[in-house]
Amino acid sequence: MAEGPTLRLFNTLLATMVAILVGFFCVRLKVVLPGEGHLKGLGFFIGSMVFPLLIFNTVATAELHSVNYGVIAACSLGKVAVMILTWLLAYMVFQPKRSRGQRFLTASVFAFFSVASNDFAIGFPVIDSLYENDMSIYITGNALVGSFVFVPLTMIAFAIGGAIRTGSGQSNVQIFRNVMYDLATNPVIFMTCAGLLFKILFGFSLVEENGKLRLPHPFSDFITLFTSPFAMSALFLTGTSLRSPQVSVWAVSLVVMKVVVCAYLSYLFASLLVQGEGDLKPMKDFTFFYGAIPTSSAPI
């Protein structure tokens, strides 16, 4: 008997939680000591090598021609609204006696937390378990928006906040140059651009296997070899970042903003923007599920 969506989702979430708990207990049992640098190599490998390659592969093989762009717009607008709201609340309310630069930086981190989705480690498995048809293309589309919109906005906010906090007296031109350099050397943005360029110039070389586009061999084999451990490794690293079971008002508030407010706002925008023929309910439901995907480990 074939598994239903509910059972598939349960199995996916169970595997996800187990992977996170493995990382958590490895730290609690002192098998792994992040403070002594045990995870630096793994963090660099996953964050600066595997994840950018995964982005490149996803963008280069994406079939965006059949996408309902109202879905992407709804998810993006939901994130924009949550990002602005979180930034304003954090800047005005969270420890307001600190310096303006510190408040600016903290608000930027909190805002990034509220829009950063764990698309590859959680998003793809969850959406694939819920839908019989291929809806993962919308994860790809949102990942593109994240790389080209939300990551640069966050980096710009960090640069401005850092300049305010240190009082370095940098001119606007110097700040602009530093931001442009950081954007140009950011591996995620670089590999996103490389994936788009490959698709434009060498899209003819893509091959179709099992109904999906793949990079040509042996390039695809190299990418698969590097990216295969990403999901488990990323979830493991997330588990190692859980230092304490302490619950705080701001931690709970940030989680609510990410997985509840973002989900409902995305669905609200979808009811206005998702138009077309056929059954649109699965696409509108997708915006809710996508908005509820937990944040990635980057802001953590």
Side-chain angles (χ1 to χ4, degrees):
M1 183 176 63
E3 294 182 347
T6 302
L7 182 57
R8 292 198 303 269
L9 178 62
F10 173 79
N11 292 335
T12 299
L13 294 178
L14 179 61
T16 299
M17 289 304 301
V18 168
I20 293 174
L21 288 174
V22 167
F24 174 73
F25 284 114
C26 280
V27 173
R28 299 293 290 182
L29 296 174
K30 298 184 179 180
V31 176
V32 175
L33 301 175
E36 296 185 9
H38 288 186
L39 296 173
K40 284 185 177 180
L42 180 61
F44 174 80
F45 177 70
I46 295 300
S48 299
M49 296 178 66
V50 176
F51 184 56
L53 277 175
L54 194 60
I55 286 281
F56 172 84
N57 181 61
T58 302
V59 173
T61 59
E63 300 180 73
L64 299 174
H65 55 84
S66 60
V67 170
N68 186 320
Y69 290 98
V71 176
I72 307 297
C75 294
S76 300
L77 288 174
K79 284 187 174 184
V80 168
V82 170
M83 188 178 196
I84 294 174
L85 180 60
T86 304
W87 195 96
L88 291 174
L89 286 174
Y91 184 79
M92 293 186 295
V93 179
F94 184 74
Q95 298 180 4
K97 294 183 179 181
R98 297 176 304 152
S99 68
R100 190 160 63 98
Q102 289 177 323
R103 291 161 57 199
F104 198 103
L105 284 171
T106 302
S108 300
V109 174
F110 285 7
F112 185 40
F113 181 97
S114 69
V115 298
S117 296
N118 207 338
D119 294 335
F120 292 92
I122 298 179
F124 278 112
V126 166
I127 295 302
D128 287 341
S129 68
L130 287 172
Y131 291 92
E132 295 289 347
N133 55 332
D134 186 16
M135 293 290 287
S136 59
I137 187 62
Y138 291 102
I139 298 283
T140 302
N142 281 294
L144 275 172
V145 174
S147 298
F148 281 125
V149 177
F150 294 110
V151 171
L153 281 177
T154 302
M155 294 177 69
I156 291 171
F158 287 166
I160 296 174
I164 296 174
R165 183 175 65 87
T166 58
S168 57
Q170 289 182 322
S171 66
N172 293 335
V173 175
Q174 289 176 314
I175 295 175
F176 177 79
R177 287 176 179 173
N178 291 337
V179 171
M180 289 298 101
Y181 176 80
D182 291 340
L183 291 177
T185 56
N186 182 278
V188 173
I189 297 175
F190 178 81
M191 294 305 281
T192 302
C193 296
L196 287 174
L197 189 62
F198 182 93
K199 191 171 187 64
I200 294 172
L201 298 179
F202 304 105
F204 63 88
S205 67
L206 298 175
V207 295
E208 186 173 344
E209 294 181 5
N210 300 322
K212 293 185 178 181
L213 291 179
R214 306 285 185 189
L215 292 168
H217 298 284
F219 196 23
S220 61
D221 302 309
F222 172 79
I223 296 290
T224 301
L225 178 65
F226 258 76
T227 59
S228 292
F230 173 79
M232 177 60 195
S233 299
L235 294 172
F236 177 84
L237 287 173
T238 299
T240 61
S241 67
L242 303 176
R243 297 286 187 268
S244 168
Q246 180 182 359
V247 177
S248 66
V249 173
W250 273 97
V252 173
S253 299
L254 288 175
V255 172
V256 170
M257 292 294 287
K258 176 63 194 80
V259 303
V260 178
V261 178
C262 188
Y264 278 101
L265 282 177
S266 298
Y267 188 83
L268 174 63
F269 283 116
S271 65
L272 302 174
L273 298 175
V274 178
Q275 306 292 334
E277 300 179 355
D279 186 10
L280 300 177
K281 189 176 186 303
M283 295 184 183
K284 294 180 180 179
D285 291 343
F286 168 87
T287 62
F288 181 87
F289 291 131
Y290 182 77
I293 293 175
T295 194
S296 69
S297 58
I300 296 176

